[in-house]
Amino acid sequence: MTRRKAAIAAAGTLAAGALTAGLISVPNAFADGTGTHAQNTGRHGSAEARGVHKAAARAARAGVDWKDCPADWGLKDGVECGWVTVPLDYAKPDGKKIKLAVDRARSTGGKGKRQGSLVYNPGGPGGSGLAFPNRIPDKNPLWAKAATAYDFVGFDPRGVGHSAPISCAEPQEWVKAPKADPVPDSEADKRAQRKLAKEYADGCKERSGGLLAQMTTPNTARDLDVIRAALGDKKLNYLGVSYGTYLGGVYAELFPGHIRRMITDSVVNPSPKKIWYDVNLDQDIAFQTRWDDWKKWVAKHDDVYGIGSTPEKIEAKWRELRSTAKKDPIGGVVGPSELLGFFQSAPYYDSAWAEVASVWAAYLKGDEKPLVEAAGPDMADVEGNKASENSNAVYNAVECNDAQWPRDWKTWDRDSTRLHEKYPFLTWSNAWMNYPCAVWPLGQHKPLNIHAKTSHPVLMIQATRDAATPYPGGVELHKRLKGSRLITEKGAGSHGITNLENDCINKRVDAYLLKGTVDAKDVTCSPHAEPQPVKSAAKASAKAKAAAVPARTP
């Protein structure tokens, strides 16, 4: 997912992935083989259940007309693209339709080894999964075994990218910088941020039309089942990261008998009491913990970076940098908000540790260009800015619609003020990122209470020090999906760990996908290798820009 340089605020919540397998009968959405779906239908709306059944049957008949991908989609040779039609409103399956963009790379093992499609969601809400199939033509070594058995399939969820994209603000205006410091100095600062959030929420309604009210995780899960049918797969093989794990959990609740393989990586806490307000409060604490981990690492490599020899000295330098940027934005565009948008990639991903430190070190040595390029907006990148604004719009639409948020400002002010005292790195930024949900112009739903026995055990993978999706989330989903298995990466904190090299995890992912096997009990793995320092600021800046924070993943 692409980092949103100019987000209203700079946190991530999760901020977070077939082909035709011959003539396969479409499973009845009401008969899932677990004995629970009739109950689910009653709980989750019989009209929508009938609607998704009808839409899936249509999609199975239509299939996907695979063609060469448009050149401007940025996909590799060997990846094919197509469309799947879904209802705008599943309660009205014969009403207005939208088209979802899907793509695939064919499995490498031939007919004798092919097991179906592996569908991917990278998180968000608001992330595009279309880059996932690139892992096959790129010959990604971590996925080489899985590629022998599965076509890799990505899609743009409803409202995202090429799938009827929504918008809440004019993109070029939205990315302009510098933005106000998210940490308020006064009540007037808080009123100004609340005003911006209200304008943004109203903009969502004005610019996104009838699709806005249908932007929910349950509807995206229904879309996922229609995609499964269009691909010709009787059951779903799915990999969800970050918010994609919550999407997977909702799918498991709605379609427990449709799961063949499901991996949830870096798990959102699915408790209805947590979705979504408390999930973000938990992030504030976890981001501070991981920020502290990064400072220790930078201090350990002070001979390379020269930022500070202790975490305390590095924290002092960080506050000095924020203060300097607030008084006089760096390069005219990088203030505290933009700094946070860039520096938060370090708590997100170990892969960003060296890059962020190198860019900062270059600045301290008098070269501000890498920092301005990494943290400031690129006004010439019109398409990139449009995608960034779209991602942010989807994030707000889905989370604001999914759950009932506190509507009174006193609750937000009390909680953010209290948390900021001990966890200042992200708290206020996260509050403003989500505050449109306090003034959301549409009705809000109650989150699903996920409790399911799935047709095959779900495999969950979670790092104990993950900032974006704190560890208790994995434990909670594990409790709620009967028969699931949890792999814990102890002492690690990178977000999205199935794409990292750790043999203890990688071999279990391969065994699960290829053979369907899980361990007899939950497993704890040692952490993956610690990042190594990078001395080149130019190289670091380029890598940081290419791989920084995802599009808003819980």
Side-chain angles (χ1 to χ4, degrees):
M1 304 184 327
T2 305
R3 182 172 60 89
R4 297 169 300 103
K5 289 184 185 176
I8 287 180
T13 85
L14 330 187
L19 292 63
T20 315
L23 298 176
I24 300 176
S25 62
V26 182
N28 188 318
F30 302 107
D32 60 15
T34 67
T36 64
H37 198 75
Q39 179 184 1
N40 288 344
T41 298
R43 290 206 309 269
H44 308 314
S46 58
E48 286 82 359
R50 289 192 295 269
V52 71
H53 174 56
K54 189 170 187 177
R58 279 194 299 239
R61 291 192 295 270
V64 180
D65 183 14
W66 296 109
K67 296 181 178 179
D68 290 341
C69 297
D72 61 355
W73 285 21
L75 301 169
K76 299 294 179 72
D77 289 343
V79 177
E80 302 171 293
C81 292
W83 303 91
V84 174
T85 300
V86 299
L88 176 71
D89 180 351
Y90 276 96
K92 302 174 182 177
D94 296 320
K96 188 174 180 179
K97 311 289 196 306
I98 58 174
K99 290 183 178 293
L100 306 180
V102 296
D103 67 343
R104 74 173 180 183
R106 293 177 184 267
S107 61
T108 61
K111 289 184 178 180
K113 293 186 176 181
R114 186 182 180 280
Q115 297 186 35
S117 309
L118 179 61
V119 185
Y120 176 77
N121 180 275
S128 168
L130 292 181
F132 176 67
N134 284 341
R135 295 182 188 184
I136 289 183
D138 281 344
K139 298 182 178 179
N140 185 312
L142 292 181
W143 296 94
K145 291 181 180 179
T148 65
Y150 295 93
D151 304 322
F152 283 12
V153 174
F155 70 104
D156 276 349
R158 59 171 53 208
V160 175
H162 306 290
S163 299
I166 66 169
S167 172
C168 295
E170 199 287 313
Q172 289 296 96
E173 286 295 318
W174 185 78
V175 301
K176 282 184 178 179
K179 300 190 183 302
D181 187 346
V183 178
D185 291 325
S186 65
E187 291 301 315
D189 288 347
K190 295 176 183 178
R191 287 193 296 271
Q193 291 279 12
R194 292 167 63 193
K195 182 174 182 290
L196 287 173
K198 179 66 165 61
E199 291 171 351
Y200 185 82
D202 290 343
C204 294
K205 184 176 181 181
E206 293 167 4
R207 296 173 65 93
S208 296
L211 179 55
L212 187 66
Q214 301 299 327
M215 295 290 297
T216 67
T217 301
N219 275 343
T220 303
R222 294 176 182 114
D223 292 343
L224 187 57
D225 201 57
V226 176
I227 291 171
R228 171 203 57 76
L231 297 171
D233 286 350
K234 185 176 181 180
K235 293 187 177 184
L236 178 71
N237 305 297
Y238 175 76
L239 169 60
V241 182
S242 194
Y243 164 77
T245 68
Y246 183 61
L247 175 60
V250 170
Y251 184 91
E253 173 68 11
L254 295 178
F255 308 100
H258 291 193
I259 292 173
R260 182 178 181 274
R261 306 280 190 271
M262 178 177 285
I263 298 175
T264 60
D265 172 0
S266 305
V267 182
V268 174
N269 193 319
S271 168
K273 295 180 180 179
K274 291 288 186 179
I275 298 293
W276 285 106
Y277 180 73
D278 280 3
V279 162
N280 284 280
L281 297 183
D282 290 346
Q283 275 190 333
D284 299 340
I285 299 170
F287 262 93
Q288 188 71 46
T289 299
R290 198 58 178 161
W291 171 250
D292 293 344
D293 288 348
W294 178 70
K295 289 185 296 184
K296 291 176 184 177
W297 181 87
V298 176
K300 185 170 73 172
H301 296 290
D302 190 47
D303 60 323
V304 175
Y305 300 115
I307 299 171
S309 58
T310 67
E312 294 75 18
K313 289 180 180 179
I314 293 169
E315 178 66 25
K317 285 283 189 181
W318 164 246
R319 296 188 181 192
E320 180 183 334
L321 178 62
R322 286 187 90 265
S323 178
T324 297
K326 185 169 184 174
K327 292 175 184 175
D328 185 15
I330 301 164
V333 292
V334 177
S337 180
E338 290 71 34
L339 284 175
L340 192 54
F342 171 60
F343 274 81
Q344 70 163 355
S345 58
Y348 250 112
Y349 304 117
D350 293 4
S351 60
W353 281 17
E355 286 73 21
V356 174
S358 294
V359 169
W360 192 6
Y363 170 80
L364 292 174
K365 293 174 184 176
D367 182 6
E368 69 177 26
K369 183 179 178 182
L371 181 57
V372 172
E373 289 185 346
D378 181 357
M379 301 306 295
D381 184 12
V382 175
E383 288 303 311
N385 295 338
K386 183 179 178 181
S388 183
E389 190 279 324
N390 165 244
S391 175
N392 197 76
V394 173
Y395 169 82
N396 279 277
V398 172
E399 292 207 3
C400 295
N401 284 335
D402 265 2
Q404 295 174 341
W405 292 70
R407 292 284 188 163
D408 61 303
W409 163 242
K410 289 183 179 180
T411 297
W412 293 73
D413 193 22
R414 178 200 65 212
D415 291 341
S416 296
T417 299
R418 172 179 55 85
L419 286 171
H420 178 76
E421 291 180 3
K422 292 182 65 176
Y423 314 104
F425 178 72
L426 196 69
T427 295
W428 275 112
S429 176
N430 213 3
W432 301 128
M433 176 72 199
N434 292 284
Y435 195 71
C437 296
V439 290
W440 196 240
L442 301 179
Q444 296 175 323
H445 301 279
K446 290 185 178 180
L448 295 189
N449 190 14
I450 297 169
H451 282 287
K453 176 177 173 54
T454 57
S455 50
H456 191 79
V458 174
L459 182 64
M460 302 173 185
I461 305 169
Q462 190 79 24
T464 57
R465 300 182 73 81
D466 188 337
T469 52
Y471 183 74
V475 175
E476 184 69 21
L477 185 61
H478 182 28
K479 292 177 181 177
R480 290 170 175 269
L481 295 184
K482 189 173 182 180
S484 61
R485 288 291 181 270
L486 175 63
I487 299 175
T488 297
E489 190 181 23
K490 189 174 182 179
S494 202
H495 189 61
I497 53 181
T498 50
N499 208 35
L500 299 176
E501 188 172 347
N502 185 332
D503 185 62
C504 179
I505 295 172
N506 304 147
K507 68 183 181 183
R508 287 180 167 85
V509 168
D510 283 340
Y512 178 77
L513 290 175
L514 296 175
K515 301 177 182 179
T517 57
V518 294
D519 288 273
K521 59 182 181 179
D522 295 341
V523 174
T524 298
C525 294
S526 299
H528 60 272
E530 189 174 83
Q532 295 301 306
V534 174
K535 296 182 180 181
S536 167
K539 179 181 177 182
S541 178
K543 289 178 68 178
K545 288 184 72 174
V549 175
R552 194 47 180 202
T553 157

